[in-house]
Amino acid sequence: MNHKVRKLIIGICAVLLVGCGSHKPFTDNGLGKGPFAPESYVQVIEAKQTPEQNLTAKVKVTIQMGEKSISTSGMLRMKKNDVIQLSLVDPLLGIAEIGRMEFTRLHVLIIDRFNKQYIDVPYDEVSFLKRANIDFFTLQALFWNQVFEPGQPTVDASHFTFTNNEGNTPKNKGTVLMTYQDKLLNYMFQTLAPNGTLQRTAISSNRDDSAQFAFDYAKFGKFEHSSFPREMTMSFVMGQRQASLHFSLSSLHNNSDWNARTPIPSKYKKADPEKIFNSLVR
């Protein structure tokens, strides 16, 4: 049991620190008529996003690494532009907290209560995050089901290419792909026309295909005055290694009555984030 709990903590730490069919240009506006207007479609997407500033939810987390998987439960708590918190409980007892991840605008905090250690570093000191150009606002967009432009507070439609996905399956038929490329990475956002629901975010290297990342959303349900995905899957391909982290959410609330900063126990030792990541991918 000790070995399983330790692998769960290491696996989640490492995973968090790390559309098919023919395409053709649009000839309509994404809303069913007229010439396609990127700015208008981005407005449709943004209007679809939840306006609430807080979200708390019960969460079941399943890690899949190759043929091995392990599951546990916990809580997801988020405050927009401030913090993302994920706490996990013992998969056997389902009561005691075994680990917590806290992402603020400046720091990554990971507390391993089982081994009494922690990580508390800025984003640019975690090489995996730095290479993938992942900061707090990228993570926030992923967990809040939002389209984003890397390094920018808002999305400028003129920086993206829009294509109509004529996929041959119900899952990708009738979708709009928004793509963006910088010096290192390709970004793809798959949205459902005409309502602008974000179904998938994918990030890959534009130099080779050895590293790929995707965040998929499913089972949208009512949350306050909008909708929010009850199922989210974060998946990675790193060379020959594959891993995924699946979140199943329930009991969603717009609740701000919780501590947005986690104190670090004085007896806990500071750990090296690179060693934790490398212990998984070796």
Side-chain angles (χ1 to χ4, degrees):
M1 188 62 225
N2 290 356
H3 178 69
K4 281 190 174 182
V5 172
R6 184 173 180 276
K7 290 298 289 184
L8 173 69
I9 294 169
I10 291 174
I12 291 180
C13 291
V15 170
L16 282 176
L17 294 177
V18 297
C20 303
S22 62
H23 299 166
K24 69 176 182 180
F26 267 108
T27 55
D28 61 44
N29 65 1
L31 304 176
K33 46 183 147 179
F36 178 68
E39 297 84 1
S40 297
Y41 191 69
V42 167
Q43 290 176 3
V44 170
I45 294 171
E46 292 176 341
K48 185 73 176 177
Q49 297 169 356
T50 179
E52 277 67 41
Q53 299 299 302
N54 304 282
L55 183 148
T56 63
K58 294 180 180 179
V59 61
K60 179 181 178 181
V61 182
T62 301
I63 296 178
Q64 184 79 35
M65 292 178 287
E67 297 181 354
K68 298 178 181 179
S69 68
I70 187 169
S71 298
T72 190
S73 57
M75 288 290 298
L76 175 66
R77 302 178 181 92
M78 302 191 292
K79 291 180 184 286
K80 278 185 181 174
N81 300 321
D82 185 27
V83 65
I84 300 166
Q85 262 184 22
L86 178 65
S87 60
L88 303 168
V89 300
D90 188 302
L92 182 62
L93 300 177
I95 300 175
E97 183 178 277
I98 57 172
R100 178 174 294 206
M101 280 133 282
E102 185 172 283
F103 302 93
T104 63
R105 296 175 70 155
L106 299 178
H107 277 246
V108 177
L109 172 64
I110 300 176
I111 296 180
D112 172 2
R113 300 198 188 280
F114 186 78
N115 296 298
K116 291 183 169 52
Q117 62 180 356
Y118 71 95
I119 294 167
D120 185 16
V121 294
Y123 290 84
D124 61 5
E125 287 188 14
V126 182
S127 62
F128 178 78
L129 293 175
K130 187 174 182 179
R131 287 196 304 270
N133 197 26
I134 293 176
D135 60 9
F136 170 77
F137 292 101
T138 300
L139 287 172
Q140 174 171 269
L142 292 170
F143 276 95
W144 279 96
N145 183 230
Q146 296 176 333
V147 172
F148 64 92
E149 183 173 343
Q152 301 299 322
T154 59
V155 173
D156 186 335
S158 67
H159 296 165
F160 289 78
T161 299
F162 294 78
T163 54
N164 182 13
N165 189 357
E166 296 184 322
N168 53 12
T169 68
K171 185 175 181 179
N172 59 27
K173 188 173 179 63
T175 57
V176 179
L177 302 186
M178 294 176 58
T179 55
Y180 173 90
Q181 185 179 83
D182 60 23
K183 292 180 179 180
L184 298 175
L185 300 170
N186 301 313
Y187 299 83
M188 186 280 289
F189 303 92
Q190 178 176 297
T191 63
L192 181 63
N195 64 16
T197 299
L198 177 61
Q199 297 178 314
R200 165 175 256 234
T201 297
I203 304 173
S204 61
S205 170
N206 58 26
R207 296 180 178 179
D208 58 63
D209 59 358
S210 62
Q212 300 178 34
F213 166 85
F215 210 111
D216 290 279
Y217 308 93
K219 295 186 179 179
F220 285 77
K222 184 175 175 57
F223 172 55
E224 295 291 333
H225 305 293
S226 58
S227 65
F228 198 81
R230 288 343 190 236
E231 304 285 338
M232 300 189 291
T233 302
M234 184 187 297
S235 56
F236 298 82
V237 175
M238 296 170 286
Q240 299 299 313
R241 301 178 181 90
Q242 298 183 18
S244 67
L245 189 59
H246 180 77
F247 303 92
S248 181
L249 308 182
S250 62
S251 302
L252 277 68
H253 296 286
N254 181 11
N255 179 16
S256 61
D257 187 20
W258 48 277
N259 190 351
R261 296 296 183 273
T262 302
I264 302 171
S266 59
K267 294 183 179 180
Y268 282 29
K269 295 181 179 180
K270 191 168 185 177
D272 183 348
E274 301 302 325
K275 287 183 179 179
I276 289 180
F277 178 72
N278 290 334
S279 69
L280 177 71
V281 301
R282 271 201 296 261

